[in-house]
Structure formats: structure tokens, C-alpha cells
Amino acid sequence: MGAKNKVIAGDYQGKNILHTFGIVSIATSLTKTIDLNKDLVEEYEVIDESSRKSATSAVGRAFVGGVILGPVGWLAGLSAKSKGVHVVAIQFKDGKKSLIEINDKIYSSLVKKLF
């Protein structure tokens, strides 16, 4: 099973993640997108087994602590992580937070844009 390439929790939940010419964005409507780049993203963290257990970063604490997600039911899905699927917590500069699930190709572009 591949990555959903969607926002799976938080702000923009259910919206698709687009990947065009190396630009990664969230499709908020048919015509509007939010680019995931250094200008809009405060910080990000790949959520995996280790961050799930320690949750030491501010972004990780916000998600794992349930600030925007409530119950920790979504954590169960992280332990069954598929190969080529990345779950990334994003903290936007405007205070919004999104948890996204993306494939290797999108992940690679995202990391380059946020470096």
C-alpha cells in the first residue's frame, strides 16, 4: 500500500499533497494551493517510531501530545509504517499544523525545499 499523499490530520485535513516540478504544496481548493517552503513552514519533523516514543521536538510534542489531534489512535498507524511512506508533522509560521503522509519522491522534494 502506497502513501496517501494527503494531509492526514490537523489543519487542511483530507486535502491532497501536490508535487509539480519539484514544488510540494497542499491543494486547499480547486484553484488555491499552499506551497510547502521555507517562507511558510516554521519547522517540520518526520514522525517515526523514535519520535513517537520520545516526542522531544516542539512539533512532535504538539502532535503526539494531542494538541490538535485529540486521542492517540493515529499513532497505531505509524507503527505499521509502509516502505516508501513518510509521515511528516509541519508547523506553519501562521500557527497552523498539519500531519502529512507522502511518498519517497515527494518527501525528497519537500526536504530540499525546507533545507
Side-chain angles (χ1 to χ4, degrees):
M1 184 152 149
K4 292 182 174 111
N5 296 329
K6 278 187 181 273
V7 178
I8 56 173
D11 293 299
Y12 313 113
Q13 182 170 351
K15 300 297 183 188
N16 289 319
I17 304 294
L18 305 177
H19 184 235
T20 317
F21 304 115
I23 296 168
V24 180
S25 56
I26 298 172
T28 55
S29 71
L30 218 49
T31 56
K32 190 167 172 4
T33 61
I34 297 169
D35 289 350
L36 300 180
N37 59 39
K38 287 186 288 201
D39 295 333
L40 298 176
V41 174
E42 184 75 40
E43 63 177 316
Y44 74 99
E45 180 185 2
V46 178
I47 305 292
D48 56 19
E49 281 297 315
S50 60
S51 63
R52 223 186 98 188
K53 290 186 177 93
S54 66
T56 52
S57 81
V59 176
R61 271 198 309 275
F63 283 102
V64 177
V67 170
I68 64 164
L69 299 178
V72 292
W74 68 275
L75 288 175
L78 293 180
S79 59
K81 187 175 181 311
S82 307
K83 192 162 176 58
V85 176
H86 303 272
V87 176
V88 183
I90 294 180
Q91 168 77 54
F92 292 94
K93 289 183 178 175
D94 66 3
K96 289 184 171 18
K97 297 177 182 75
S98 293
L99 193 68
I100 64 172
E101 181 182 295
I102 51 178
N103 64 26
D104 282 332
K105 192 172 175 183
I106 296 175
Y107 175 74
S108 177
S109 291
L110 179 68
V111 170
K112 286 177 191 161
K113 286 288 176 198
L114 297 179
F115 180 69

